[in-house]
PDB file of all heavy atoms in Angstrom:
ATOM      1  N   PRO A  89      37.050 115.473  94.996  1.00  0.00           N
ATOM      2  CA  PRO A  89      37.401 114.823  93.725  1.00  0.00           C
ATOM      3  C   PRO A  89      38.587 113.863  93.831  1.00  0.00           C
ATOM      4  O   PRO A  89      38.649 112.878  93.099  1.00  0.00           O
ATOM      5  CB  PRO A  89      37.730 116.002  92.803  1.00  0.00           C
ATOM      6  CG  PRO A  89      36.895 117.117  93.337  1.00  0.00           C
ATOM      7  CD  PRO A  89      36.897 116.920  94.836  1.00  0.00           C
ATOM      8  N   ARG A  90      39.494 114.103  94.775  1.00  0.00           N
ATOM      9  CA  ARG A  90      40.652 113.207  94.933  1.00  0.00           C
ATOM     10  C   ARG A  90      40.248 111.839  95.445  1.00  0.00           C
ATOM     11  O   ARG A  90      40.980 110.867  95.272  1.00  0.00           O
ATOM     12  CB  ARG A  90      41.680 113.842  95.870  1.00  0.00           C
ATOM     13  CG  ARG A  90      42.304 115.103  95.291  1.00  0.00           C
ATOM     14  CD  ARG A  90      43.187 115.791  96.287  1.00  0.00           C
ATOM     15  NE  ARG A  90      42.346 116.446  97.291  1.00  0.00           N
ATOM     16  CZ  ARG A  90      42.793 117.228  98.262  1.00  0.00           C
ATOM     17  NH1 ARG A  90      44.088 117.455  98.385  1.00  0.00           N
ATOM     18  NH2 ARG A  90      41.974 117.779  99.122  1.00  0.00           N
ATOM     19  N   GLN A  91      39.066 111.727  96.062  1.00  0.00           N
ATOM     20  CA  GLN A  91      38.608 110.428  96.549  1.00  0.00           C
ATOM     21  C   GLN A  91      38.192 109.491  95.423  1.00  0.00           C
ATOM     22  O   GLN A  91      38.152 108.280  95.608  1.00  0.00           O
ATOM     23  CB  GLN A  91      37.407 110.615  97.491  1.00  0.00           C
ATOM     24  CG  GLN A  91      37.761 111.220  98.825  1.00  0.00           C
ATOM     25  CD  GLN A  91      36.532 111.333  99.695  1.00  0.00           C
ATOM     26  OE1 GLN A  91      35.704 112.208  99.489  1.00  0.00           O
ATOM     27  NE2 GLN A  91      36.406 110.432 100.645  1.00  0.00           N
ATOM     28  N   TYR A  92      37.866 110.035  94.276  1.00  0.00           N
ATOM     29  CA  TYR A  92      37.377 109.225  93.155  1.00  0.00           C
ATOM     30  C   TYR A  92      38.464 108.349  92.548  1.00  0.00           C
ATOM     31  O   TYR A  92      38.173 107.281  92.020  1.00  0.00           O
ATOM     32  CB  TYR A  92      36.798 110.138  92.065  1.00  0.00           C
ATOM     33  CG  TYR A  92      35.462 110.748  92.418  1.00  0.00           C
ATOM     34  CD1 TYR A  92      35.376 111.821  93.292  1.00  0.00           C
ATOM     35  CD2 TYR A  92      34.284 110.264  91.855  1.00  0.00           C
ATOM     36  CE1 TYR A  92      34.156 112.403  93.598  1.00  0.00           C
ATOM     37  CE2 TYR A  92      33.057 110.840  92.160  1.00  0.00           C
ATOM     38  CZ  TYR A  92      33.006 111.911  93.037  1.00  0.00           C
ATOM     39  OH  TYR A  92      31.799 112.474  93.347  1.00  0.00           O
ATOM     40  N   VAL A  93      39.709 108.785  92.599  1.00  0.00           N
ATOM     41  CA  VAL A  93      40.812 108.140  91.883  1.00  0.00           C
ATOM     42  C   VAL A  93      40.849 106.631  92.088  1.00  0.00           C
ATOM     43  O   VAL A  93      40.950 105.870  91.127  1.00  0.00           O
ATOM     44  CB  VAL A  93      42.165 108.780  92.291  1.00  0.00           C
ATOM     45  CG1 VAL A  93      43.336 108.028  91.702  1.00  0.00           C
ATOM     46  CG2 VAL A  93      42.195 110.247  91.888  1.00  0.00           C
ATOM     47  N   ARG A  94      40.763 106.190  93.306  1.00  0.00           N
ATOM     48  CA  ARG A  94      40.915 104.758  93.552  1.00  0.00           C
ATOM     49  C   ARG A  94      39.644 103.941  93.330  1.00  0.00           C
ATOM     50  O   ARG A  94      39.624 102.729  93.544  1.00  0.00           O
ATOM     51  CB  ARG A  94      41.482 104.525  94.955  1.00  0.00           C
ATOM     52  CG  ARG A  94      40.554 104.787  96.080  1.00  0.00           C
ATOM     53  CD  ARG A  94      41.247 104.359  97.392  1.00  0.00           C
ATOM     54  NE  ARG A  94      40.339 104.385  98.487  1.00  0.00           N
ATOM     55  CZ  ARG A  94      40.046 105.460  99.213  1.00  0.00           C
ATOM     56  NH1 ARG A  94      40.619 106.596  98.948  1.00  0.00           N
ATOM     57  NH2 ARG A  94      39.190 105.388 100.196  1.00  0.00           N
ATOM     58  N   HIS A  95      38.583 104.598  92.873  1.00  0.00           N
ATOM     59  CA  HIS A  95      37.317 103.894  92.649  1.00  0.00           C
ATOM     60  C   HIS A  95      36.982 103.696  91.173  1.00  0.00           C
ATOM     61  O   HIS A  95      35.882 103.240  90.845  1.00  0.00           O
ATOM     62  CB  HIS A  95      36.172 104.629  93.363  1.00  0.00           C
ATOM     63  CG  HIS A  95      36.329 104.644  94.846  1.00  0.00           C
ATOM     64  ND1 HIS A  95      36.252 103.513  95.624  1.00  0.00           N
ATOM     65  CD2 HIS A  95      36.607 105.665  95.702  1.00  0.00           C
ATOM     66  CE1 HIS A  95      36.450 103.825  96.888  1.00  0.00           C
ATOM     67  NE2 HIS A  95      36.677 105.120  96.967  1.00  0.00           N
ATOM     68  N   VAL A  96      37.930 104.011  90.279  1.00  0.00           N
ATOM     69  CA  VAL A  96      37.707 103.779  88.849  1.00  0.00           C
ATOM     70  C   VAL A  96      37.433 102.282  88.653  1.00  0.00           C
ATOM     71  O   VAL A  96      38.106 101.426  89.219  1.00  0.00           O
ATOM     72  CB  VAL A  96      38.933 104.228  88.011  1.00  0.00           C
ATOM     73  CG1 VAL A  96      38.781 103.793  86.560  1.00  0.00           C
ATOM     74  CG2 VAL A  96      39.108 105.738  88.099  1.00  0.00           C
ATOM     75  N   GLY A  97      36.413 101.977  87.863  1.00  0.00           N
ATOM     76  CA  GLY A  97      36.042 100.582  87.612  1.00  0.00           C
ATOM     77  C   GLY A  97      34.947 100.076  88.536  1.00  0.00           C
ATOM     78  O   GLY A  97      34.354  99.031  88.280  1.00  0.00           O
ATOM     79  N   ARG A  98      34.646 100.817  89.586  1.00  0.00           N
ATOM     80  CA  ARG A  98      33.600 100.399  90.519  1.00  0.00           C
ATOM     81  C   ARG A  98      32.269 101.031  90.126  1.00  0.00           C
ATOM     82  O   ARG A  98      32.204 101.929  89.289  1.00  0.00           O
ATOM     83  CB  ARG A  98      33.976 100.789  91.944  1.00  0.00           C
ATOM     84  CG  ARG A  98      35.268 100.054  92.358  1.00  0.00           C
ATOM     85  CD  ARG A  98      35.670 100.342  93.742  1.00  0.00           C
ATOM     86  NE  ARG A  98      34.820  99.579  94.665  1.00  0.00           N
ATOM     87  CZ  ARG A  98      34.900  99.693  95.978  1.00  0.00           C
ATOM     88  NH1 ARG A  98      35.759 100.522  96.526  1.00  0.00           N
ATOM     89  NH2 ARG A  98      34.118  98.991  96.760  1.00  0.00           N
ATOM     90  N   THR A  99      31.203 100.589  90.755  1.00  0.00           N
ATOM     91  CA  THR A  99      29.873 101.133  90.499  1.00  0.00           C
ATOM     92  C   THR A  99      29.602 102.278  91.474  1.00  0.00           C
ATOM     93  O   THR A  99      29.833 102.141  92.680  1.00  0.00           O
ATOM     94  CB  THR A  99      28.800 100.040  90.651  1.00  0.00           C
ATOM     95  OG1 THR A  99      29.095  98.977  89.739  1.00  0.00           O
ATOM     96  CG2 THR A  99      27.420 100.575  90.370  1.00  0.00           C
ATOM     97  N   LEU A 100      29.137 103.398  90.921  1.00  0.00           N
ATOM     98  CA  LEU A 100      28.782 104.566  91.730  1.00  0.00           C
ATOM     99  C   LEU A 100      27.289 104.845  91.607  1.00  0.00           C
ATOM    100  O   LEU A 100      26.686 104.616  90.559  1.00  0.00           O
ATOM    101  CB  LEU A 100      29.531 105.822  91.263  1.00  0.00           C
ATOM    102  CG  LEU A 100      31.042 105.851  91.345  1.00  0.00           C
ATOM    103  CD1 LEU A 100      31.551 107.204  90.874  1.00  0.00           C
ATOM    104  CD2 LEU A 100      31.523 105.567  92.754  1.00  0.00           C
TER     105      LEU A 100
END
Side-chain angles (χ1 to χ4, degrees):
R90 294 173 286 185
Q91 289 181 284
Y92 287 77
V93 173
R94 72 174 189 275
H95 296 293
V96 171
R98 297 182 77 184
T99 302
L100 297 182

